[in-house]
Amino acid sequence: MKKLKLQNDVFKMFVANYKEWLDILGYAESTVYYLPNHLQEFFYYAEQQNIKTLTEITAQTIKEYYSSLKERANERRNGALSKSYLNKHQQALKKFKEYLQNHNYKHFNVHLKNETNPTEEKLNILTQAEIKTLFNATAYSHNTQRIMLRDKAILTILYSCGLRRNEAVNLDVSDILFDKERVYVRKGKNYKERFVPINRKNAEILEDYIYEARPEFYQSHLSEALFINQRGKRMQGMSFANRLKAIVQAANDKTIAEKHITPHILRHSIATHLLQHNVDLETIKTFLGHSSLESTQIYTHLLKTIENG
């Protein structure tokens, strides 16, 4: 169903925060996209029933909502909505209840029964050993030395520095401040700039790429971009994703391959590893460029999930 516009500001806030929570916990991009949309659809239904707060939602509300879904026509093909699609709506509410519990919100007491054959996504976080495997794989991720050195530099920026994909795309060579042992992130989320520290090992990886590999790319001297492609142009987001796939393939590790690694998963992984090493939340918040500590605190829940898993 096309996106339905909510009128209730509280419901809007819950949808936005729920999406951020799923994203930070490292769920697959499809989950981060669809589950908040399903929650929004539920809230839209609630608004039509003149429900304005979570406390007004009852088991009967949800039962009637699912009845309306089962009666709704499928917009893409003939017939009713599939069981799989209905399961996703159920999963959206179950996961929303978990979000509320983790934020100590105690006013949503509706019991949600488990679905048969649930299709819940697994959290995709790499272990530190798996990160090491990926770094080692850059020694044979391509048949060209300059590409392999660039692959290693990409891992350094996405994992060791925890940059978002778009932040990595927009990096220029001049943003690597070797003398200050910092990476200057000019185009962060919401246009917020920050400085990310780099240690000696990471600096050496970036030096090898910038001074040995990068000049070997076609017309590299005409571009200010840190990461450039075979045509001498700034690498775009899809190219980063493709190189990650190549590195994973070179690693030849089934467990890593099943985690469907993306730039964002590398960012989630470094945040979790920092927490495991008892780095305080305020430092991690600054490192990641989060606008609020609440966003960073989600990683404490993620760490518990991993430890209990």
Side-chain angles (χ1 to χ4, degrees):
M1 178 173 275
K2 291 181 180 178
K3 211 167 187 181
L4 302 167
K5 193 170 183 181
L6 297 176
Q7 303 300 319
N8 187 310
D9 288 337
V10 174
F11 289 165
K12 288 180 187 176
M13 177 201 70
F14 274 128
V15 171
N17 291 349
Y18 175 58
K19 183 171 185 175
E20 183 179 33
W21 181 72
L22 290 171
D23 184 32
I24 289 178
L25 284 183
Y27 283 98
E29 289 180 18
S30 58
T31 301
V32 175
Y33 176 78
Y34 285 110
L35 293 197
N37 283 354
H38 295 332
L39 179 65
Q40 182 161 326
E41 191 170 339
F42 171 69
F43 281 149
Y44 182 83
Y45 171 85
E47 285 186 350
Q48 307 312 300
Q49 314 308 310
N50 204 30
I51 292 173
K52 297 177 181 178
T53 64
L54 289 187
T55 54
E56 297 174 60
I57 296 172
T58 65
Q60 186 63 25
T61 307
I62 293 175
K63 184 178 179 181
E64 290 172 358
Y65 172 62
Y66 281 112
S67 294
S68 70
L69 282 179
K70 289 174 182 177
E71 293 171 3
R72 204 181 81 197
N74 192 312
E75 293 182 349
R76 294 187 178 181
R77 55 184 174 80
N78 294 330
L81 298 176
S82 67
K83 184 178 179 181
S84 174
Y85 189 80
L86 293 173
N87 278 352
K88 281 292 184 182
H89 277 266
Q90 179 84 323
Q91 183 190 344
L93 287 184
K94 282 176 62 184
K95 191 57 64 177
F96 177 62
K97 185 174 182 179
E98 183 182 329
Y99 158 80
L100 293 173
Q101 289 170 340
N102 278 281
H103 287 78
N104 297 317
Y105 191 91
K106 299 178 171 56
H107 304 292
F108 188 73
N109 299 314
V110 178
H111 175 69
L112 297 168
K113 64 180 181 180
N114 290 328
E115 287 288 303
T116 53
N117 301 319
T119 55
E120 188 168 319
E121 300 278 358
K122 291 183 179 179
L123 295 176
N124 292 327
I125 297 295
L126 291 162
T127 66
Q128 288 171 268
E130 288 168 341
I131 289 292
K132 187 175 181 179
T133 297
L134 290 182
F135 270 98
N136 290 339
T138 61
Y140 39 87
S141 57
H142 198 269
N143 56 14
T144 307
Q145 179 72 3
R146 67 175 183 271
I147 301 291
M148 291 187 289
L149 289 177
R150 190 185 65 184
D151 284 348
K152 198 169 188 178
I154 286 172
L155 281 183
T156 299
I157 288 297
L158 295 177
Y159 170 75
S160 305
C161 298
L163 266 64
R164 302 175 178 93
R165 184 172 65 174
N166 285 344
E167 292 172 345
V169 166
N170 287 296
L171 276 181
D172 287 343
V173 174
S174 59
D175 294 328
I176 311 301
L177 310 174
F178 290 112
D179 57 332
K180 296 180 180 178
E181 297 183 331
R182 295 285 186 274
V183 172
Y184 176 42
V185 184
R186 291 174 295 105
K187 291 190 176 182
K189 193 173 183 180
N190 300 322
Y191 300 97
K192 290 183 179 179
E193 61 179 28
R194 70 183 188 280
F195 289 91
V196 177
I198 49 174
N199 59 27
R200 187 63 246 161
K201 185 177 180 180
N202 293 331
E204 287 175 359
I205 291 172
L206 295 176
E207 282 175 349
D208 286 345
Y209 165 65
I210 290 172
Y211 298 115
E212 293 183 30
R214 192 180 178 281
E216 297 296 317
F217 284 86
Y218 177 70
Q219 293 188 339
S220 60
H221 62 287
L222 298 179
S223 175
E224 295 180 355
L226 175 62
F227 294 110
I228 54 177
N229 58 28
Q230 300 279 42
R231 300 183 303 280
K233 304 294 183 183
R234 185 181 295 272
M235 276 182 68
Q236 298 302 309
M238 187 55 69
S239 296
F240 280 86
N242 289 338
R243 288 317 305 161
L244 278 183
K245 287 179 183 177
I247 296 168
V248 170
Q249 189 173 4
N252 195 27
D253 184 302
K254 185 180 177 183
T255 303
I256 293 176
E258 288 176 348
K259 292 188 176 183
H260 304 291
I261 308 307
T262 65
H264 225 53
I265 286 172
L266 293 177
R267 177 174 158 87
H268 295 321
S269 298
I270 184 62
T272 306
H273 298 160
L274 289 172
L275 202 56
Q276 286 174 323
H277 284 85
N278 299 316
V279 177
D280 65 90
L281 281 175
E282 188 64 43
T283 300
I284 297 175
K285 169 184 172 290
T286 303
F287 176 79
L288 295 173
H290 283 161
S291 56
S292 70
L293 194 60
E294 184 180 25
S295 296
T296 316
Q297 285 171 332
I298 293 172
Y299 286 107
T300 59
H301 166 67
L302 175 57
L303 185 56
K304 289 177 185 175
T305 304
I306 292 170
E307 291 173 343
N308 295 333

